[in-house]
Amino acid sequence: MIPLSGVLHCGPQNVTPKSSEQSILVTWEDEASCSALHDTLIYELLVLIADERVHYEEVAVMPEQIGSTHSWNWTSPLALKCASVRLRSRYKHRTSPWKQEQTLPESANSEMIEVFPRDRVFEVGSRATFCCYVPAGQTFSRMVMSEYDDSNTTQVNNQTYIFTVHLNQASTGSGANVICETKKSSNGACAYIGYPPDDSHLQCETSNLQSVECEWRVGKDTHLFYPSPTDYQLLQSPCPNGSQGTCKIEMQVDAGERNWTLTAKNHLGKVELTDTADLTKRVHMLAPEGLADSTVYARNVTLEWGWSVPQYNNLNITCQVHVSHSKTYSISETSGVGLRFAVLDDLIPLWRYNAKVRCGTAQHFWRWSEWSTSIDFITMGDVPDALDVWRQVEGDHVIITWKEPLASQSHGHIIDYKVTYSDQQNTTTVLNETRLTLSLDTTEDYIITVTARNENGSSSPSVITIPSLSPESSDKTEKVNTSRILGSSGSFSLSWSPSPKASCGYTVDWCPTLGKCEVEWLKVLPNQTSATVSSKQLSDGVRYSLSVYACTQGAPVLLERREGYIREKRIENNLFKSAKYTQQDSDVVVSWDPINPREQSAFIQGYVLHAYCSDNDKKQVIPTNLPVSTEDLEATSLTVKNLNFGSCTFTLQAQTAVGECGTTPIHATLNSLTDNLVKSVVISLVTVFGLLSLITILCYRHWTCIKRKVYPPIPEPVLSDKWLTSLGENSRCPLAVDQCHHSEADFVDISELRYNPEASQNGYVCQENTLFVYTPTPQDYYNQPLKKHIPPPLTLPTAVLPPQSGLPSSPLRGVFPNPSYNLILQPEDQQSKSGPELQGETVLETSSGGYQPQSPPETHTVNQTTEDPGSPMFCSVCCRIVGQLSSPLRSSALLCAPLRSSSSLSSSAARLPLLSPGVKLTDAPGNFNGFEAG
């Protein structure tokens, strides 16, 4: 009967559970109301652990089975003491209530703590549940699992507890312990946590065609050594060493492909590996046996060995021979059917070697065998190898140098070296040296050979050609442009362009650019155009020169040259030892001598000048126009402009790739522009004063000489009685005046010259009003060239002078001599041809025989008075005037002076008549020649 409420009253009855440790059997019957059903009746069974559903299952009862007894069987992962079962029916979407919930029966006699399950195997990554049964009377404390901290414990009832944990790591070989503790005691169970096998890559082969050996890659550790280690089987045959990834079974190997199967399994899983192959093509030979050196020579050795497998004698075999010496080795191969020996060539004489052999099939090669046991042998001795020879040219000397042979090149003790040159006529033996200096004729080419000798003989000659060292050839072959190079990691890496001249390769040599040069070199093959230069002699901060030569059939040809440092270092301080400064107004020039390359531990790329100056308050100031720098490598000075400070400290540095270095301080005290001006004025005044003082002292000490030169003594005219008396006897009165040369500046203006009337003696009186008048030449006469003029004798007019008392009358036309003045008197008619005539006055004119200075001539006019023109007194006055004109330093003082000596005139018997109005006196500068009649 089915009620409309949706609840089914047909359900199970007489439910009876039966169980073992982990299995459960449940039986039940249908209620009487179920007989009315005509369709299939469903029973639902639910297994709970700690109120969590761990298993659900349905049992279908057909209509014809309704009314009979039903059963259900299930195996639990837990002990049944930790589980409960629920049961209900369902019919057409209607269910009965969980009519009965039955807890599985307990062990009434158990007095110990029990943990279930025991010794169970779990896979890493799974979730495990453990149950702890606590005896009556004990109080549960906790449940734990070794190596796990993340766990959860749930109470089922007073005596049952559930422990759940996520297994995220494998257990050790002894497993993991699950412990349940109470206040009084504890107990537990063991769990094994691991992985199923995951081996792979199976390969099978044979070594003797009588057995099969297989290898595979063993998977990760399963951690199930107990109770379930992995079991391996090859073709269902056990593999005792399966855990090592190898398995061997004895069986005859036939030609043809087949499957070779390997099985690996444990409690958590199973894996099968298969390899399909024809093992007659997979022969992995065994190692050769009995290796020995049968024949040993200087440069070759024969090795022999045998086989332990007779079948190898019919196989085509390839063998490798591994030969090692020092830290190097080489491998050579040889082939043959049933191969049993090998010959080693190109060995080093008198050298120790180690050799071993391995082989494999030549046809269908599979793998090399293991190496045989190695043996040692020593080759026989031989002559040394050819020497590595180079040359170094230093002026007129050539240094032949060679590398000392290594032990692998000498093949014994080197006794000596022989150097031969000049058509084999000159031979030099060298002991314990690797260089020889030769003085050769620089105009000739030389072919030099060098050999080494040991107890076995002499080496092959090494030949090098030395070209003539004449300026013509050296300029062509040894001069190339030099470029820079920088090293790295303790070596130089350089490359160059290939040269068609390099028929036998290239040679790279190097040595320090400055100082003693011991050249090093290396040889490069013709097909290489790069090299790495390294040597223990290379040092940081030292400049090296590297040269690349082309090896030819004749002399080496220089191709390139480089200069550089293996590593640049900072230049030491005080590099500019000669640095100094010069002030130019407000500018300061700091200069230095060129830097010696020996003092450069890095390439100089420029110079920089810093400065710290002090102002008037003595505060440190950095001028705004600093620093000053230049990239000119030839520069030897730097200029700082517009410095208006009292003192500065300049710092001169060199710019390099490693920074500014070579610091040199220069302390400078600067003068202001006002100080410089005052200094210049003071120096000028002191110089002028000193010069004037020197001139004054010199003039004072040599005043007598200067006076004689500037103010020479002039003899006065001497008038004798004979000269005066001869005037009345002859018609001419010659007067001789000394010819003196004076400059234009020697003449001075004479405005008047009067004779003192008081100075009269012997009846000869000079009229008081007799005047000598000086009149300058007209203005238009200046700067006119003068012709050479020899003045004619001074003549007097032929008119008869008025007779004086006691003197005869005469026309005054004669010449009268005078020892001091050579004056000549001429008549007026002769004088008129040489100059213009002046009316009413007597003119005195100067003339010279050559060029006249640009100074206006002087004309002197004598005014006629009542004085007798022919009197001797007048002539005396005229002579005095002439003498004063010839000495300008005395003219102004003497021309106007009266005749002080009247006694000299009174002693003369002759009378000097006054000049007539027609008489003119002519005088040239520096040479007073005489009178000339006008």
Side-chain angles (χ1 to χ4, degrees), residues 661-793:
C661 48
T663 304
T664 303
I666 305 166
H667 303 283
T669 300
L670 307 180
N671 298 324
S672 64
L673 296 179
T674 304
D675 296 339
N676 292 335
L677 179 60
V678 172
K679 185 184 298 183
S680 300
V681 171
V682 171
I683 292 175
S684 300
L685 292 176
V686 171
T687 302
V688 171
F689 179 77
L691 291 176
L692 291 177
S693 300
L694 179 62
I695 293 173
T696 302
I697 294 172
L698 292 177
C699 290
Y700 177 77
R701 295 185 60 182
H702 300 278
W703 175 248
T704 304
C705 179
I706 296 173
K707 180 179 179 182
R708 186 180 299 111
K709 294 295 184 182
V710 178
Y711 185 50
I714 300 176
E716 295 185 359
V718 179
L719 302 178
S720 63
D721 295 340
K722 186 177 178 180
W723 182 81
L724 295 174
T725 56
S726 62
L727 182 61
E729 297 176 356
N730 300 303
S731 59
R732 297 180 180 269
C733 183
L735 296 175
V737 180
D738 291 339
Q739 295 181 356
C740 300
H741 300 277
H742 303 282
S743 66
E744 181 179 332
D746 292 340
F747 299 96
V748 298
D749 295 340
I750 303 173
S751 59
E752 285 185 349
L753 183 62
R754 294 182 182 271
Y755 178 72
N756 189 354
E758 298 179 356
S760 62
Q761 189 177 0
N762 295 331
Y764 296 96
V765 179
C766 185
Q767 300 296 328
E768 182 179 359
N769 297 324
T770 302
L771 302 176
F772 290 92
V773 181
Y774 172 78
T775 304
T777 303
Q779 183 67 27
D780 56 359
Y781 184 72
Y782 288 100
N783 299 326
Q784 297 299 325
L786 301 178
K787 296 182 180 180
K788 185 175 182 180
H789 174 67
I790 301 176

Side-chain angles (χ1 to χ4, degrees), residues 57-268:
E57 194 169 342
E58 295 179 353
V59 177
V61 178
M62 304 303 295
E64 62 272 14
Q65 296 177 342
I66 295 177
S68 63
T69 301
H70 311 293
S71 65
W72 171 75
N73 187 16
W74 175 67
T75 301
S76 170
L78 296 175
L80 294 180
K81 297 178 181 180
C82 302
S84 61
V85 178
R86 292 180 180 180
L87 180 65
R88 72 178 179 180
S89 61
R90 185 181 75 243
Y91 180 77
K92 293 184 178 180
H93 305 294
R94 293 178 174 83
T95 59
S96 67
W98 295 105
K99 187 174 181 180
Q100 182 176 355
E101 179 178 346
Q102 179 66 43
T103 303
L104 298 179
E106 302 178 359
S107 300
N109 298 326
S110 176
E111 296 181 356
M112 296 180 57
I113 300 174
E114 294 183 296
V115 178
F116 301 99
R118 300 185 179 98
D119 299 328
R120 178 69 63 85
V121 177
F122 299 94
E123 185 175 358
V124 175
S126 63
R127 189 177 185 86
T129 300
F130 297 90
C131 174
C132 176
Y133 171 76
V134 179
Q138 296 189 21
T139 303
F140 176 81
S141 178
R142 66 169 186 165
M143 287 188 72
V144 295
M145 185 175 187
S146 60
E147 301 179 2
Y148 282 89
D149 295 330
D150 184 15
S151 59
N152 183 23
T153 303
T154 303
Q155 181 178 2
V156 177
N157 52 43
N158 292 334
Q159 293 181 280
T160 305
Y161 296 88
I162 301 298
F163 176 75
T164 305
V165 62
H166 181 261
L167 305 176
N168 54 9
Q169 60 182 3
S171 62
T172 60
S174 59
N177 295 318
V178 181
I179 306 298
C180 181
E181 298 178 353
T182 65
K183 299 295 183 179
K184 294 182 179 182
S185 61
S186 64
N187 199 1
C190 186
Y192 297 94
I193 308 166
Y195 302 93
D198 62 344
D199 300 58
S200 60
H201 296 89
L202 176 68
Q203 279 189 346
C204 297
E205 61 186 18
T206 182
S207 60
N208 54 10
L209 301 177
Q210 300 294 324
S211 62
V212 176
E213 299 97 15
C214 294
E215 295 179 349
W216 63 91
R217 187 176 69 186
V218 178
K220 59 186 176 182
D221 188 4
T222 62
H223 294 273
L224 300 178
F225 306 107
Y226 178 84
S228 178
T230 304
D231 178 46
Y232 293 95
Q233 290 185 353
L234 176 62
L235 298 179
Q236 298 181 354
S237 297
C239 298
N241 298 323
S243 59
Q244 300 177 3
T246 61
C247 186
K248 180 179 180 180
I249 59 175
E250 298 293 334
M251 62 177 297
Q252 179 67 35
V253 176
D254 299 326
E257 287 188 355
R258 60 168 296 178
N259 292 330
W260 308 90
T261 303
L262 175 72
T263 302
K265 64 178 180 179
N266 64 11
H267 277 76
L268 299 177

Side-chain angles (χ1 to χ4, degrees), residues 317-350:
I317 300 173
T318 296
C319 293
Q320 283 186 339
V321 181
H322 182 279
V323 180
S324 62
H325 60 94
S326 299
K327 295 181 180 180
T328 63
Y329 70 92
S330 63
I331 296 178
S332 59
E333 289 188 5
T334 183
S335 300
V337 176
L339 187 65
R340 290 176 174 270
F341 70 93
V343 178
L344 306 179
D345 296 321
D346 299 327
L347 302 179
I348 300 173
L350 200 62

Side-chain angles (χ1 to χ4, degrees), residues 820-832:
S820 299
Y821 293 88
N822 188 15
L823 301 177
I824 301 176
L825 302 178
Q826 291 183 355
E828 185 179 1
D829 55 355
Q830 295 182 9
Q831 177 65 21
S832 61

Side-chain angles (χ1 to χ4, degrees), residues 22-56:
Q22 290 184 251
S23 296
I24 183 172
L25 176 63
V26 180
T27 60
W28 69 94
E29 294 178 355
D30 301 321
E31 289 182 350
S33 59
C34 295
S35 59
L37 301 178
H38 301 287
D39 292 327
T40 303
L41 177 65
I42 304 298
Y43 284 95
E44 296 179 354
L45 291 100
L46 180 62
V47 180
L48 301 176
I49 297 179
D51 294 331
E52 292 185 7
R53 187 176 71 174
V54 296
H55 185 72
Y56 172 82

